Amino acid sequence: MPYFTRLILILFCLMILVESRKPRRRRWTGQLEMPRPSHLSKKNLDVTKVQKGKPQPLLRVEQHDFTMRPAFGGPAIPVGVDVQVESLDSISEVDMDFTMTLYLRHYWKDERLAFPSTSNKSMTFDGRLVKKIWVPDVFFVHSKRSFTHDTTTDNIMLRVFPDGHVLYSMRITVTAMCNMDFSHFPLDSQTCSLELESYAYTDEDLMLYWKNGDESLKTDEKISLSQFLIQKFHTTSRLAFYSSTGWYNRLYINFTLRRHIFFFLLQTYFPATLMVMLSWVSFWIDRRAVPARVSLGITTVLTMSTIITGVNASMPRVSYIKAVDIYLWVSFVFVFLSVLEYAAVNYLTTVQERKERKLREKFPCMCAMLHSRTMMLDGSYSESEANSLAGYPRSHTLTEEERQDNIVVHLALRSDSNASRKKGLLKGQVGLRIFQNTHAIDKYSRPQGQRQEAHKDTHKQGSSPILKRNPDLTKSPLTKSEQLLRIDDHDFSMRPGFGGPAIPVGVDVQVESLDSISEVDMDFTMTLYLRHYWKDERLSFPSTNNLSMTFDGRLVKKIWVPDMFFVHSKRSFIHDTTTDNVMLRVQPDGKVLYSLRVTVTAMCNMDFSRFPLDTQTCSLEIESYAYTEDDLMLYWKKGNDSLKTDERISLSQFLIQEFHTTAKLAFYSSTGWYNRLYINFTLRRHIFFFLLQTYFPATLMVMLSWVSFWIDRRAVPARVPLGITTVLTMSTIITGVNASMPRVSYIKAVDIYLWVSFVFVFLSVLEYAAVNYLTTVQERKERKLREKLPCTCGLPQPRAVMLDGSYGDGDGEVNDLGNFLPEGGEKPDRMMVQLTLASDRSSPQRKSRRSSYVSMRIDTHAIDKYSRIIFPAAYILFNLIYWSIFS
């Protein structure tokens, strides 16, 4: 019985224990029970939960040295590349570069990353694993800036297959140089290239190729540019040679762009054409309408100057002429010639009327005329009245050409038809005199018809090469770089030969590009390959084939390298796309080659006293920051041959005359003496751009101010705006030139030319002020003298009226023939057309006393005569002296 009771008690305890293990349903907390997984959704075992299944042990990353390439010591490893261009972000004519966003993919095989797999599926990892394995060190040659996108995480993909094949992809934006030719701008087509190359590995270590030939390059369907039409993309490849490091495989992404012409037709060519046509309107305007024609001419000249300035503001300062320059400057010359055309017309009109005045002086005084009228037929009269006045019957219709080309200057009509004596007296003088209102030059200047102008308007490698490989030496623990180079056995925080003599470090440089020269900031930007050569016996290793070993940038952080920096640099950086552009090559005897690709912006003290006819010399200075000459001896490895330059280096504004190297010691009072190396280069500025955009417009403005000397001195509304406009235009040119220059404390050569030109223009305004003032003084004296002469027809207030009606009353002295006389007895260059008005019923004597007259004159002052010679002669002399000194 006790035994049975004990058994029941044990079973009861077991039941309680089982019930306590079951999950309880919480009614009041609202917590939901998780549904049990269905047997249909059976999951594979999550290998990441197993200690031995973590990604690194699975790929055996820790068992190999990934600072060395796959199959180290064997033939070159083939790396296939394909690219998908996502967008062409911008094309800059001023900076001569383009910006492109692309997906860059690499394909290679690394047996060190092989892993066992039953499903034979690839494994995808994020960018953190990339830093632990070997990846190709591809970089963009001639790139200015580049970066790998990192939002929301690094845009990097690493996909590894079981047999060790790797797909490595990145999303990159790169800004690269493109040497554009603008000789046909804006009717041009541009071809640019993006160049890919391995930084450290020559063609003996890494063979870079397009994975699928031309099919390796894909483009997004939505790629478009506002200013260009993308004609085609294609790929090429070739070998590139560097004298210091060897041969490298280089891949090219080439694309051709054709510029859209419609924008320039609408914004440049059409306005320029309209300005030229507008200047032709002057040929149909009365040749005596001086203010109208001069204002029209200078307005079109200023508008053309504005169009030319606007076009060149968005273009680089190239040393050759562009197609748009030819069109705009030829249009400018046409507009300028229309102004000169009217100056010739006005001057020849003055000469013609002077001859007519001399002929008219042979007739007796016309103060005794009974009734005469002088009127101007300028198009505001009725057709029948004009015909009757001209002697035509009222039914006769004047042709359009006769109406435009004729002007009635003098018309005398007698009211007393019975005075035979007076008829005889006025015979040959009374009637309608029709003068030509349009000069022959205006007739020939008008376009006779419409003119029409005619405008005219790879290497492929389709499959991966099959190469026989030697065994992968990196699988052996003895071939790890740390162990092979015995890095852990030494303290690399100290220089080689510590405590002994100075270690010699040779340097050579290859200048890849001169990106920019800034006059305002007084600096330059240069991209270069900086290579160091030294010997560190701590890095020597045994080798049977005596070949060097190439490592990536990760090993650089573990060994000693020279601490070079750029003296007087403002900004500098080492390129890091797609990896750090760093190369470390070690030879068995411990000799080291260390190379970096650097872009540096450094100071350049420029002298602008001869600008823009100047030559500038700049220097990039290299020096050790910590080690004095007692510890480190810095020198050019091959003298002047240590400096190489890319054959495609060019600047839009400068001609690169020479590169050369120098070296000297630099002293710091606190630290001592240091070796300093200099990269010196001399630049000579292209003058053609400034001739076209500065000197030529300034010269034209000075010549335009001389037009005033050939215009009638009483045409105040014409001559004053002409002078003021040229002064303002010269001020605009001076302001535009100085806006792109630093505020230096000395005068520049261009300042001398522009300010002397400004003085010439300003003096032409003062010249007319003097002419106008002396004319007023002279006429005041003539009025007082005229009151004493008998042949004044008894008129107390004579009036002088210009033919165009643009000036007020004035007085003058007249002789018996109605001509003005100056004080000295000389006859001024003026033409007078007389108008007498009298009453029919008055006696001849009273008629002559009560008659009035109008003097219509075209005057040329003596100052104007001398200015026509003195101003051009002085300006030509100035140009001869200027160009002989500064050229």
Side-chain angles (χ1 to χ4, degrees):
M1 184 68 181
Y3 177 77
F4 181 75
T5 303
R6 188 180 302 173
L7 181 61
I8 293 176
L9 184 60
I10 292 174
L11 291 174
F12 180 75
C13 291
L14 290 174
M15 292 176 60
I16 294 176
L17 181 62
V18 171
E19 290 294 330
S20 64
R21 293 283 184 176
K22 292 182 179 180
R24 297 181 180 179
R25 181 177 297 178
R26 300 179 181 178
R27 299 178 180 177
W28 58 274
T29 59
Q31 183 176 358
L32 298 177
E33 290 185 350
M34 296 298 295
R36 295 183 178 180
S38 172
H39 66 283
L40 298 176
S41 58
K42 186 177 180 180
K43 295 182 179 179
N44 293 333
L45 182 63
D46 188 356
V47 295
T48 61
K49 290 183 178 180
V50 183
Q51 186 68 21
K52 293 185 179 181
K54 287 186 177 181
Q56 287 87 345
L58 178 65
L59 299 180
R60 302 190 303 279
V61 173
E62 302 297 338
Q63 299 178 12
H64 300 279
D65 181 9
F66 283 97
T67 61
M68 294 183 286
R69 68 173 179 87
F72 183 78
I77 173 177
V79 176
V81 173
D82 70 42
V83 170
Q84 179 169 342
V85 179
E86 182 183 22
S87 64
L88 265 174
D89 301 325
S90 65
I91 306 290
S92 173
E93 288 91 352
V94 176
D95 298 327
M96 285 198 180
D97 59 30
F98 65 92
T99 301
M100 177 187 291
T101 300
L102 51 90
Y103 299 95
L104 177 62
R105 306 184 183 96
H106 310 77
Y107 303 84
W108 74 94
K109 185 175 182 180
D110 191 343
E111 295 179 355
R112 297 172 294 183
L113 297 177
F115 61 91
S117 173
T118 57
S119 58
N120 200 30
K121 293 182 178 180
S122 61
M123 297 175 59
T124 301
F125 305 92
D126 61 15
R128 287 172 291 189
L129 187 62
V130 173
K131 300 177 181 179
K132 300 180 180 181
I133 66 171
W134 181 90
V135 293
D137 59 339
V138 175
F139 78 105
F140 299 100
V141 187
H142 299 122
S143 64
K144 297 181 177 181
R145 298 171 300 278
S146 59
F147 63 92
T148 303
H149 290 261
D150 56 2
T151 305
T152 58
T153 60
D154 291 338
N155 294 176
I156 294 175
M157 180 189 72
L158 183 68
R159 185 173 296 171
V160 183
F161 292 85
D163 58 354
H165 279 92
V166 182
L167 165 58
Y168 175 46
S169 176
M170 292 177 291
R171 182 169 175 259
I172 300 172
T173 293
V174 56
T175 300
M177 183 177 65
C178 179
N179 291 323
M180 304 182 190
D181 180 13
F182 297 107
S183 56
H184 285 78
F185 176 87
L187 304 169
D188 57 332
S189 294
Q190 302 294 343
T191 299
C192 300
S193 298
L194 183 64
E195 306 171 20
L196 293 81
E197 183 181 301
S198 171
Y199 188 81
Y201 298 101
T202 65
D203 62 339
E204 296 178 354
D205 289 324
L206 189 147
M207 186 179 67
L208 208 61
Y209 69 98
W210 289 113
K211 189 172 187 298
N212 300 310
D214 280 339
E215 298 298 325
S216 302
L217 180 61
K218 305 292 183 181
T219 57
D220 194 283
E221 299 176 351
K222 296 186 290 183
I223 290 181
S224 64
L225 291 169
S226 59
Q227 192 175 158
F228 292 92
L229 171 65
I230 303 175
Q231 290 187 308
K232 66 174 181 177
F233 275 88
H234 67 281
T235 61
T236 55
S237 63
R238 67 175 185 180
L239 289 175
F241 177 72
Y242 300 90
S243 59
S244 300
T245 54
W247 292 89
Y248 294 81
N249 294 112
R250 183 176 295 181
L251 307 182
Y252 295 81
I253 301 173
N254 307 299
F255 56 95
T256 304
L257 307 173
R258 190 181 69 198
R259 196 182 305 273
H260 294 303
I261 187 61
F262 181 78
F263 173 83
F264 297 94
L265 288 175
L266 193 64
Q267 302 297 328
T268 303
Y269 288 93
F270 186 59
T273 305
L274 285 183
M275 287 303 103
V276 175
M277 296 174 64
L278 186 61
S279 68
W280 298 342
V281 174
S282 174
F283 307 147
W284 274 270
I285 299 178
D286 193 325
R287 60 174 169 170
R288 299 177 188 276
V290 184
R293 294 188 64 166
V294 172
S295 299
L296 178 61
I298 61 177
T299 301
T300 51
V301 167
L302 291 180
T303 305
M304 281 302 305
S305 300
T306 303
I307 295 174
I308 292 172
T309 303
V311 170
N312 287 284
S314 60
M315 296 297 298
R317 298 176 178 180
V318 294
S319 59
Y320 48 85
I321 194 168
K322 305 183 290 293
V324 69
D325 293 334
I326 297 175
Y327 193 93
L328 291 180
W329 280 107
V330 169
S331 300
F332 185 91
V333 170
F334 270 95
V335 171
F336 188 77
L337 289 178
S338 69
V339 180
L340 297 183
E341 185 270 349
Y342 180 62
V345 167
N346 190 277
Y347 176 74
L348 293 178
T349 299
T350 304
V351 174
Q352 176 185 350
E353 292 176 343
R354 187 184 301 122
K355 294 179 181 179
E356 293 175 352
R357 175 181 58 82
K358 294 180 179 179
L359 182 63
R360 191 169 51 254
E361 288 175 354
K362 299 178 181 179
F363 295 98
C365 183
M366 301 174 61
C367 295
M369 290 179 60
L370 297 179
H371 181 65
S372 62
R373 293 180 295 169
T374 299
M375 61 188 301
M376 189 179 208
L377 304 182
D378 58 356
S380 60
Y381 53 90
S382 64
E383 188 173 348
S384 60
E385 183 181 2
N387 293 339
S388 62
L389 292 176
Y392 297 105
R394 292 184 178 270
S395 59
H396 178 74
T397 302
L398 290 176
T399 64
E400 187 67 24
E401 184 178 358
E402 291 173 342
R403 185 178 301 168
Q404 292 178 0
D405 295 346
N406 294 329
I407 177 174
V408 177
V409 177
H410 184 85
L411 173 65
L413 298 176
R414 291 184 67 256
S415 59
D416 189 1
S417 59
N418 298 324
S420 59
R421 185 181 59 83
K422 296 185 178 82
K423 276 185 179 181
L425 179 66
L426 297 175
K427 185 177 181 182
Q429 304 175 37
V430 180
L432 183 68
R433 297 183 63 191
I434 300 179
F435 281 66
Q436 290 294 322
N437 190 32
T438 302
H439 200 277
I441 296 179
D442 282 342
K443 288 184 179 180
Y444 291 117
S445 298
R446 297 173 183 175
Q448 301 298 325
Q450 297 180 354
R451 299 178 180 179
Q452 298 179 354
E453 298 181 359
H455 299 277
K456 299 180 179 179
D457 300 323
T458 348
H459 174 74
K460 297 184 180 179
Q461 210 164 358
S463 58
S464 174
I466 301 175
L467 298 175
K468 184 177 180 180
R469 300 187 187 179
N470 291 336
D472 188 357
L473 300 180
T474 61
K475 291 182 178 180
S476 172
L478 294 178
T479 58
K480 283 194 174 183
S481 59
E482 291 86 349
Q483 299 178 11
L484 179 65
L485 302 178
R486 303 191 305 277
I487 291 177
D488 294 334
D489 296 344
H490 302 279
D491 182 6
F492 283 95
S493 63
M494 294 182 289
R495 69 172 179 87
F498 183 79
I503 175 177
V505 176
V507 173
D508 72 40
V509 169
Q510 178 165 343
V511 180
E512 183 183 28
S513 65
L514 265 173
D515 301 326
S516 65
I517 306 289
S518 174
E519 289 90 354
V520 177
D521 299 326
M522 284 197 180
D523 60 28
F524 64 92
T525 302
M526 177 187 291
T527 299
L528 52 90
Y529 301 94
L530 178 62
R531 306 184 183 99
H532 312 74
Y533 302 84
W534 73 94
K535 185 174 182 179
D536 191 345
E537 295 180 353
R538 297 172 296 183
L539 297 177
S540 59
F541 60 92
S543 175
T544 56
N545 52 12
N546 200 30
L547 296 177
S548 61
M549 296 173 56
T550 300
F551 304 92
D552 61 13
R554 287 173 289 189
L555 189 62
V556 173
K557 300 176 182 179
K558 301 178 181 180
I559 66 172
W560 181 91
V561 294
D563 59 340
M564 300 302 165
F565 79 104
F566 299 100
V567 187
H568 301 125
S569 65
K570 297 181 178 181
R571 298 172 299 276
S572 60
F573 64 92
I574 299 174
H575 291 260
D576 57 0
T577 306
T578 59
T579 61
D580 291 337
N581 294 175
V582 174
M583 179 186 72
L584 182 67
R585 185 177 295 173
V586 183
Q587 296 181 359
D589 59 353
K591 291 182 178 179
V592 182
L593 165 59
Y594 174 48
S595 176
L596 306 94
R597 182 167 175 258
V598 184
T599 292
V600 56
T601 300
M603 183 176 65
C604 179
N605 292 322
M606 303 182 189
D607 180 14
F608 297 108
S609 58
R610 301 178 67 89
F611 176 88
L613 303 166
D614 57 332
T615 299
Q616 303 294 343
T617 300
C618 300
S619 298
L620 183 64
E621 306 170 19
I622 306 172
E623 183 181 302
S624 170
Y625 189 82
Y627 298 100
T628 65
E629 63 168 346
D630 295 332
D631 290 320
L632 189 147
M633 185 180 67
L634 203 63
Y635 69 98
W636 289 112
K637 191 172 188 296
K638 300 177 182 178
N640 279 332
D641 291 336
S642 302
L643 180 61
K644 303 293 183 181
T645 58
D646 192 285
E647 57 185 16
R648 292 188 295 173
I649 290 181
S650 64
L651 291 169
S652 60
Q653 191 176 164
F654 291 92
L655 171 66
I656 303 175
Q657 288 188 309
E658 67 169 343
F659 274 90
H660 67 279
T661 61
T662 55
K664 68 177 183 179
L665 291 174
F667 178 72
Y668 299 88
S669 59
S670 300
T671 54
W673 292 90
Y674 295 80
N675 294 111
R676 183 176 295 180
L677 306 182
Y678 294 82
I679 301 173
N680 307 299
F681 55 95
T682 303
L683 306 172
R684 190 182 70 200
R685 196 181 306 273
H686 294 303
I687 187 59
F688 182 79
F689 174 85
F690 296 93
L691 287 176
L692 194 63
Q693 303 300 327
T694 303
Y695 288 93
F696 186 54
T699 304
L700 285 182
M701 288 302 106
V702 175
M703 295 174 62
L704 187 61
S705 68
W706 299 341
V707 174
S708 174
F709 306 149
W710 273 266
I711 299 177
D712 193 318
R713 62 172 170 170
R714 298 183 182 275
V716 183
R719 294 187 65 165
V720 172
L722 177 61
I724 294 175
T725 303
T726 51
V727 168
L728 292 178
T729 305
M730 281 303 305
S731 300
T732 303
I733 294 174
I734 293 172
T735 303
V737 170
N738 288 288
S740 60
M741 296 297 298
R743 299 178 180 178
V744 295
S745 58
Y746 49 84
I747 193 169
K748 303 183 290 293
V750 70
D751 294 334
I752 297 175
Y753 194 93
L754 292 179
W755 280 107
V756 170
S757 300
F758 183 89
V759 169
F760 270 91
V761 172
F762 188 74
L763 288 178
S764 68
V765 180
L766 297 183
E767 185 269 351
Y768 179 62
V771 167
N772 191 274
Y773 175 75
L774 294 177
T775 299
T776 304
V777 172
Q778 176 184 339
E779 291 180 346
R780 188 181 299 116
K781 294 180 180 179
E782 290 175 350
R783 183 194 57 177
K784 294 180 180 179
L785 183 61
R786 189 178 57 247
E787 292 175 352
K788 302 177 183 179
L789 297 180
C791 188
T792 59
C793 301
L795 294 176
Q797 294 182 350
R799 295 178 298 165
V801 182
M802 247 328 252
L803 284 174
D804 58 2
S806 59
Y807 58 94
D809 296 342
D811 299 324
E813 177 189 356
V814 294
N815 60 8
D816 293 341
L817 296 176
N819 297 315
F820 286 84
L821 291 176
E823 278 188 350
E826 296 180 1
K827 297 179 181 179
D829 294 333
R830 63 182 106 185
M831 184 274 290
M832 181 190 72
V833 180
Q834 181 174 295
L835 169 65
T836 59
L837 297 174
S839 176
D840 297 348
R841 301 175 182 177
S842 301
S843 62
Q845 188 175 4
R846 293 181 63 186
K847 290 173 189 175
S848 63
R849 290 174 185 163
R850 295 168 56 187
S851 63
S852 62
Y853 64 90
V854 177
S855 178
M856 298 182 182
R857 298 172 293 173
I858 301 286
D859 288 348
T860 302
H861 198 277
I863 297 179
D864 281 342
K865 286 185 175 180
Y866 291 120
S867 297
R868 296 171 185 172
I869 301 174
I870 295 175
F871 273 72
Y875 195 67
I876 292 173
L877 179 62
F878 161 71
N879 273 272
L880 292 175
I881 296 174
Y882 179 89
W883 293 108
S884 63
I885 293 175
F886 290 104
S887 63

